Amino acid sequence: MSSSGTRSAVSGLLPLDTTEDVRERGAGVARQVAVLPVGSFEQHGPFLPLATDTLVACAIAREVAAAYPVHLLPPVTISCSHEHADWPGTVSISSVTLHAVVRDIADSLRASGVDTLVLVNGHGGNYVLGNVVQESVGSGTRMALFPAMEDWEAARERAGVQTSLLSDMHAGEIETSILLHAHPELVKAGYETSDFLADDRRHLLTLGMSGYTESGVIGRPSMAAAEKGKELLAALTDSFGAYFSLVTAETLPSRASDAGTSPVVDRRH
């Protein structure tokens, strides 16, 4: 790993690299890796901002960029949030558009000599990102999707998060904890009394979120804490090491298990 916090300062959501910073970093690695945070702009109950998924994806990506020699990109801030359409403020683009945006970014990076792209997904509804990565096999661009469910589960256990990933679906203990750590000024009062569980969500894609919750919350935000958010990010940063080793390897292993990673797509919202 390489400590790159001093050379990759970030203000808010945007990296502040100069083109010389990128050139110098690229000269010191065998394979250049870009990291693209993908968030959303959707309701997160009455106490978290619409940009929560983007803030979470950026928090993860910033920690990764501080620990590994990667090229941090600005986030994609609007994605596939159609299941949240019943709440004011939510904005979505189609999966076709998101697919095209990510592919265009990957093609542009490849043209400039960066042939490896890791997508840091902050919104479980972005199912199409799994297809983008799937379709990259044999394309000349090496891609990965992070974090997987296994990474979230390991982070949850390490941070002492008590709510299961099934129950902690949206604006719950995990997301609220990360924002309490990374952006406490953006967390409004009310999360302490907003717990709501709906574990059987088999018709979510048909009914949308409003078929399961009036508040927009599914989880237990009352159990959130800034220290849990800090540990969640630290655990995910450690988990990224296996991905970095995989995507920078001279040749890819024949089985995912050889690299200690899993191809399972994160379905959290």
Side-chain angles (χ1 to χ4, degrees):
M1 291 191 295
S2 170
S3 178
S4 54
T6 57
R7 55 81 178 155
S8 185
V10 176
S11 175
L13 302 181
L14 300 179
L16 297 181
D17 282 338
T18 68
T19 188
E20 289 303 315
D21 293 331
V22 176
R23 180 178 287 115
E24 291 175 10
R25 191 178 314 122
V29 297
R31 182 183 291 273
Q32 294 191 56
V33 179
V35 171
L36 177 66
V38 183
S40 70
F41 200 72
E42 65 187 36
Q43 71 84 20
H44 275 78
F47 53 86
L48 294 183
L50 293 160
T52 290
D53 288 342
T54 299
L55 294 167
V56 168
C58 286
I60 296 169
R62 283 199 304 270
E63 294 296 319
V64 165
Y68 302 88
V70 299
H71 175 32
L72 180 60
L73 300 175
V76 175
T77 59
I78 297 176
S79 59
C80 303
S81 300
H82 306 85
E83 68 274 25
H84 298 275
D86 287 338
W87 280 270
T90 298
V91 181
S92 293
I93 58 177
S94 72
S95 61
V96 174
T97 299
L98 181 57
H99 186 292
V101 167
V102 175
R103 282 304 320 169
D104 282 355
I105 291 171
D107 290 345
S108 179
L109 287 166
R110 186 180 177 190
S112 64
V114 181
D115 64 354
T116 303
L117 177 62
V118 179
L119 309 177
V120 175
N121 183 31
H123 172 49
N126 291 335
Y127 307 112
V128 71
L129 296 181
N131 296 117
V132 176
V133 174
Q134 175 191 30
E135 294 165 12
S136 71
V137 177
S139 70
T141 297
R142 190 172 291 184
M143 296 182 69
L145 181 61
F146 179 78
M149 287 294 287
E150 291 85 350
D151 303 308
W152 278 115
E153 183 59 36
R156 186 189 72 81
E157 293 180 1
R158 174 169 157 181
V161 171
Q162 298 183 51
T163 315
S164 71
L165 292 182
L166 173 64
S167 298
D168 197 58
M169 185 255 192
H170 191 72
E173 187 176 359
I174 287 177
E175 289 183 322
T176 306
S177 291
I178 291 176
L179 260 66
L180 283 172
H181 167 65
H183 300 282
E185 73 283 1
L186 301 181
V187 181
K188 294 184 178 180
Y191 72 90
E192 305 91 340
T193 57
S194 294
D195 292 4
F196 182 80
L197 299 181
D199 286 353
D200 186 348
R201 303 184 297 271
R202 69 188 71 188
H203 302 301
L204 174 67
L205 297 183
T206 300
L207 300 175
M209 283 285 288
S210 61
Y212 295 92
T213 172
E214 292 184 7
S215 67
V217 177
I218 297 180
R220 295 193 290 179
S222 70
M223 307 189 77
E227 185 60 29
K228 292 179 181 179
K230 180 180 179 180
E231 284 301 311
L232 284 163
L233 293 177
L236 291 173
T237 302
D238 289 346
S239 292
F240 186 81
Y243 291 77
F244 185 77
S245 297
L246 176 66
V247 298
T248 57
E250 185 174 345
T251 58
L252 294 177
S254 58
R255 296 177 298 169
S257 58
D258 295 337
T261 64
S262 169
V264 176
V265 177
D266 176 22
R267 299 302 189 191
R268 293 179 65 256
H269 281 247

